[in-house]
Each structure stands twice: as C-alpha cells, then as structure tokens.
C-alpha cells in the first residue's frame, strides 16, 4: 500500500523511518518532510493545512493511508475533510476528527471532559472577557503559583505559570482583554499548580479498543538541569523508571480507560493517538493535558522501542480491529538528544551547513528543521536534528546519544548533555 505522512519534524522522521520498514508499505510520501525524510520516502512540498493540495496528492499517488503528525491539521479538520469528500471518504486517516481533536484544541473542552469522566486533573475555572472581573477575584483566592492557559492552540506558548498574584492578574488581563494570544486566549483556563515529575503516555485507539505505546519523558527547558526557557523539547528517554507496572496500572485504570470510555459515552469516534501529559505527584497520576497526536521528541524514542510492524497497528486503527493486533515493545532504553540552532528558543541562526552526520556510530539521526541547499544539508528550523539510540541500559543510552551528537557540527549548534540526569 501507499502511505502519506503529514508533517516535517523529528516526529515525522521517526514515523517515516518506522513505516518504511513495514511489509505493508510500497511507496511512502512525506508532505512536506525535511532533508532527512528523503532517506525513507518521497517528499512532496505541500503544507499540512493545504487540504486541497493533500487531496490532489492522495489521488495522484493512489495513497491508501494517511498518518497525520502535527495537531494543526487535525484541529482544522483534515480528517473531516476526507470523510466529507466523495473521492477521499474511504481512505483512512490516522488522527481524530475535529471534535476529538478538541482534547488538544481547547483546554476548556479537555478540562470539562476530564471533570465529566472523573479523570484526575488540577482544579480549574474558565474565564472570558465578560467574566474577567470574576477571574481577577478568583485569582486572589487561588493558591500560588497559579497556571493560566489560553484555551486554543498558541504554538506551545499559551501556558503561563505565575508566581505572584500581581503577575497572574496582569497576564489574565493581557490574555482576555488585550488578546495576548489572539483568538486562542479569548477564553482562559485558570488552574491549580501541580508539583511532581512529568510523564508522557501514548495511547493508540481505533475508537473502541486501545494499545498503550512505550511511555517517555521529555526535557522541555533549554538549559542543563532543567533551567531557562521552554522549548519544543530538548530530548527524551523511554522507558521511564518510575513508570513501573504498578504505576502504569494506575494510569490505565484511572486515566486511559476512563478517557477511551468517556469518548465513547460522549459519542466521539476517535481514531488516532492520544498523548496524555501526566504529572506524577507522589506516585499518583494527574492529567496536565491531552494532545491529539504523538509527542516530539518522544516519538523518536518511542518508535525505536516498538519491535512490531507499526503499519499493522495503524491498519488496526483504520479498520477498527486494533484488538486483534499485537504490539511488541523492546525492553531496551531509547534516548534522544535534540540538537538546536544557536539562539533557539529565541531568534535563531539559520542556513548553517551541517557536517559530520556520517561519523555517528550507534544512533539514528532523525532530521527536524533541515533542508537541502544544493548538495549541502542546512539548518532551517529551531530544532535541527534528533539523535536517537537504543542500548541495554539507560546510562549507556544517554552516553551514546550524547557522544553521537557531539560528532555532528554546524555553526551555533547546541544540545543538552544531561538528558535523563534526574532519573539515573
Ligand atoms: P501545555 O502547553 O499544556 O503542555 O503546558 C506546558 C507545560 O506547563 C507543561 O508541560 C507543564 O510543564 C506545565 N504545566 C501545565 N499545567 C500545569 C499544572 N497544572 N501544574 C504544573 N505545571 C503545569
Ligand atoms: N514533547 C511535547 C510535545 O510534543 O508537545
């Protein structure tokens, strides 16, 4: 069969690497892809939100399955677009329809969903421009720190953790009255701050049954020791030692099953991935957020621990027989180190030539923000490469990924050398 992956980051590179190995895969296309995805398939320069362009490609190349990487096309309704089109409606899309994608697309929707289905999450209230005064009063009674979340997608910037009441009131006003995040902050969720260690849990569902993929931990801050500004993610490891069988049983019983059942009760047919961002507080899982897609850079580590045919699992989602499929997970440890551009996550350097990838010894170099410039591979994004290795134990995996990252060079390159430091 012919398969199309939508997206261009490290996550989609890892998907492409895994999908290309499947016995089911004849031709693989990636739209738009990056300089690295051409190793696994054919790049087509179409934006992930250009639904008409995607349609033309799907019909021209006789695509039989579409795997959606990022949230934006899902929240904008790419799956609904397929179902509403006579020529596309029988071509399966892995990724929820717009209604289900609201789990990520609207923080207020996801909080109401969790409340309705008794899924553990931080206490919250939602405010709009009309109820700003109530919001300011509520903040005065809420504990500190307090978390403000723009309701809609805000390119990963819509969550603010405020340490003082003054800061919280200023920010709530900026979000609601001055549209700090545009339409995304026309509603704001104000939520209790949770302490603990974060964990990314991934579930695949066909709308009825589900499979739990390997869990991972993501390192979001730019600086070593988890300091400095937030980024898209600087590295990941899988498995995560504290997420042992007893912990994952709690997650399954208290979060995963109520989520899958809740979607069914609400009449939402959900076919795709659910990424559950958890806070582990003293051994208890609390949901911080849902995403309607896989995580990046978690996917790079997760794909390397799935030993079964990934396309077979995708077909289970598409055809509604996921319960008949087997998922084989490697007991080894995968570690990913993300190499970023100088200046990231602020203004960052671009168009720098990347050298040394041929010197990498025992990792896969997944590309993210890269393009071709003649025969050179150059940097074009903030997150440039994701270096992923699999080793018998966590220490060796972290060492190998870091050593391999240091074999690569471009002007201004930076990566954290302490991924996993808190877990060893
Ligand atoms: P999100 O955009 O929802 O992924 O939130 C970004 C980050 O903010 C999360 O990964 C957490 O690190 C942090 N965060 C969000 N909500 C909370 C909360 N209730 N308590 C503590 N940290 C939070
Ligand atoms: N790694 C976090 C995310 O993909 O949102």
């Amino acid at each position: 069969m012919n398969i199309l992956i939508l997206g261009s980051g490290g996550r989609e590179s890892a998907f492409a690497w895994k999908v290309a190995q499947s016995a089911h895969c004849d031709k693989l296309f990636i739209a738009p892809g990056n300089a690295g995805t051409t190793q696994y398939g054919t790049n087509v320069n179409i934006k992930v939100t250009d639904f008409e362009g995607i349609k033309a490609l799907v019909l021209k190349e006789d695509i039989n399955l579409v795997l959606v990487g990022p949230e934006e096309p899902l929240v904008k309704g790419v799956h609904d677009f397929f179902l509403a089109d006579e020529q596309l409606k029988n071509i399966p899309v892995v990724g929820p329809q717009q209604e289900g994608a609201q789990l990520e697309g609207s923080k207020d929707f996801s909080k109401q969903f969790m409340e309705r289905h008794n899924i553990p999450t931080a206490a919250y209230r939602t405010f709009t421009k009309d109820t700003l005064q109530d919001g300011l009063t509520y903040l005065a009674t809420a504990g500190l720190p307090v978390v403000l979340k723009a309701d809609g997608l805000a390119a990963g910037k819509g969550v603010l953790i405020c340490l003082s009441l003054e800061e919280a009131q200023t920010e709530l006003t900026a979000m609601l009255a001055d549209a700090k995040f545009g339409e995304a902050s026309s509603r704001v969720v104000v939520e209790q701050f949770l302490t603990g260690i974060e964990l990314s849990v991934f579930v695949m569902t066909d709308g009825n049954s589900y499979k739990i993929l390997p869990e991972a931990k993501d390192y979001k801050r730019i600086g070593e020791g988890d300091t400095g500004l937030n980024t898209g993610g600087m590295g990941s490891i899988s498995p995560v030692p504290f997420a042992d069988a007893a912990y994952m049983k709690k997650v399954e019983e208290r979060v995963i099953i109520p989520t899958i059942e809740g979607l069914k009760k609400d009449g939402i047919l959900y076919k795709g991935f659910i990424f559950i961002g958890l806070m582990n507080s003293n051994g208890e899982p609390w949901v911080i957020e849902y995403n309607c897609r896989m995580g990046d850079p978690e996917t790079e580590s997760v794909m390397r621990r799935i030993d079964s045919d990934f396309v077979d699992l995708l077909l289970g989602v598409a055809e509604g027989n996921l319960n008949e499929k087997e998922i084989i997970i490697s007991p080894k440890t995968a570690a990913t180190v993300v190499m970023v551009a100088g200046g990231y996550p602020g203004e960052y350097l671009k168009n720098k030539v990347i050298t040394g990838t041929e010197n990498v010894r025992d990792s896969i170099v997944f590309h993210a923000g890269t393009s071709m410039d003649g025969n050179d591979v150059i940097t074009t994004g903030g997150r440039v490469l994701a270096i992923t290795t699999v080793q018998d134990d966590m220490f060796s995996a972290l060492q190998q990924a870091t050593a391999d990252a240091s074999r690569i060079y471009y002007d201004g390159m930076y990566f954290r050398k302490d991924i996993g430091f808190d877990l060893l």
Side-chain angles (χ1 to χ4, degrees):
M1 62 191 301
N2 298 336
I3 300 173
L4 169 64
I5 296 174
L6 297 182
S8 62
R11 168 184 47 216
E12 289 76 21
S13 293
F15 275 155
W17 169 81
K18 188 72 184 153
V19 165
Q21 294 170 47
S22 167
H24 294 286
C25 183
D26 294 318
K27 285 195 206 156
L28 173 62
F29 296 87
I30 307 100
N34 57 45
T37 51
T38 53
Q39 299 167 72
Y40 320 117
T42 306
N43 285 354
V44 186
N45 193 14
I46 295 174
K47 284 200 189 117
V48 295
T49 50
D50 175 4
F51 296 172
E52 289 297 341
I54 293 166
K55 173 178 174 176
L57 172 65
V58 164
L59 296 177
K60 174 165 173 262
E61 300 295 352
D62 201 11
I63 301 290
N64 311 106
L65 181 77
V66 180
L67 170 58
V68 185
E71 65 279 12
E72 197 188 0
L74 295 168
V75 172
K76 291 193 168 151
V78 70
H79 194 158
D80 312 66
F81 175 85
F82 270 65
L83 291 173
D85 187 291
E86 264 320 299
Q87 290 171 290
L88 300 180
K89 68 181 185 197
N90 294 320
I91 299 166
V93 175
V94 177
Q97 294 167 59
Q98 230 169 352
E99 199 181 19
Q102 285 184 88
L103 279 184
E104 175 164 5
S106 165
K107 303 276 188 204
D108 180 51
F109 176 92
S110 77
K111 293 299 281 190
Q112 287 191 36
F113 177 88
M114 288 184 259
E115 198 168 49
R116 189 159 62 241
H117 301 295
N118 291 312
I119 296 165
T121 190
Y124 80 105
R125 290 269 306 269
T126 300
F127 299 98
T128 62
K129 200 172 181 173
D130 294 338
T131 56
L132 173 58
Q133 272 312 321
D134 298 341
L136 297 174
T137 312
Y138 176 75
L139 283 175
T141 62
L144 290 171
V146 65
V147 186
L148 308 188
K149 297 184 170 181
D151 180 57
L153 295 183
K157 300 193 189 322
V159 174
L160 303 174
I161 295 171
C162 300
L163 301 177
S164 72
L165 174 61
E166 190 192 356
E167 181 190 2
Q169 290 184 327
T170 305
E171 291 295 352
L172 186 67
T173 307
M175 286 164 98
L176 289 175
D178 309 328
K180 176 166 178 162
F181 298 107
E183 181 54 28
S185 67
S186 62
R187 273 189 293 181
V188 174
V189 168
V190 176
E191 150 177 320
Q192 176 201 2
F193 180 79
L194 299 169
T195 51
I197 307 184
E198 285 180 57
L199 177 71
S200 302
V201 170
F202 301 100
V203 181
M204 221 175 168
T205 178
D206 59 4
N208 196 30
S209 67
Y210 64 87
K211 294 267 185 259
I212 304 175
L213 304 183
E215 79 287 350
K217 188 167 188 292
D218 169 24
Y219 291 79
K220 284 213 172 79
R221 303 298 192 102
I222 187 74
E224 291 179 1
D226 280 341
T227 54
L229 294 174
N230 251 330
T231 70
M234 297 297 292
S236 66
I237 67 148
S238 176
V240 179
F242 69 76
D244 57 11
Y247 186 80
M248 290 307 288
K249 184 164 183 276
K250 283 189 202 173
V251 172
E252 185 167 13
E253 286 172 355
R254 297 183 200 169
V255 179
I256 296 174
I257 293 173
T259 299
I260 301 292
E261 292 304 316
L263 287 165
K264 279 192 237 175
K265 278 184 204 150
D266 291 349
I268 299 174
L269 177 62
Y270 193 111
K271 284 174 172 282
F273 300 99
I274 308 175
F275 164 176
I276 306 168
L278 289 178
M279 187 68 87
N280 172 28
S281 273
N282 301 316
E284 306 300 324
W286 295 81
V287 179
I288 291 186
E289 60 165 349
Y290 288 111
N291 295 302
C292 60
R293 52 168 173 90
M294 289 293 290
D296 192 352
E298 292 97 323
T299 304
E300 291 88 316
S301 292
V302 168
M303 284 301 123
R304 296 217 52 193
R305 288 192 60 223
I306 298 179
D307 284 343
S308 35
D309 186 324
F310 187 57
V311 175
D312 206 39
L313 294 168
L314 297 176
L315 285 171
V317 170
E319 292 164 1
N321 58 0
L322 188 59
N323 60 334
E324 293 166 20
K325 308 289 185 182
E326 193 191 6
I327 179 164
I328 303 165
I329 294 174
S330 162
K332 293 186 179 186
T333 294
T336 297
V337 168
V338 174
M339 303 183 66
V340 303
Y344 177 81
E347 280 283 305
Y348 55 82
L349 299 175
K350 280 189 190 156
N351 305 322
K352 301 298 177 191
V353 175
I354 302 170
T355 56
T357 51
E358 68 283 2
N359 299 328
V360 165
R361 292 191 191 149
D362 194 15
S363 301
I364 296 179
V365 178
F366 290 124
H367 287 229
T370 66
S371 300
M372 294 305 296
D373 180 21
N375 287 327
D376 289 331
V377 177
I378 57 166
T379 71
T380 47
R383 290 193 290 173
V384 175
L385 300 169
I387 314 304
T388 306
T389 192
V390 176
Q391 302 293 333
D392 287 337
D393 61 86
M394 186 161 52
F395 184 74
S396 315
L398 296 169
Q399 243 188 353
Q400 187 66 47
T402 310
D404 278 333
S406 55
R407 296 187 169 103
I408 299 173
Y409 181 79
Y410 51 87
D411 196 15
M413 72 114 172
Y414 170 76
F415 61 91
R416 274 179 63 171
K417 296 184 184 66
D418 70 336
I419 298 305
F421 73 102
D422 55 332
L423 299 173
L424 279 175

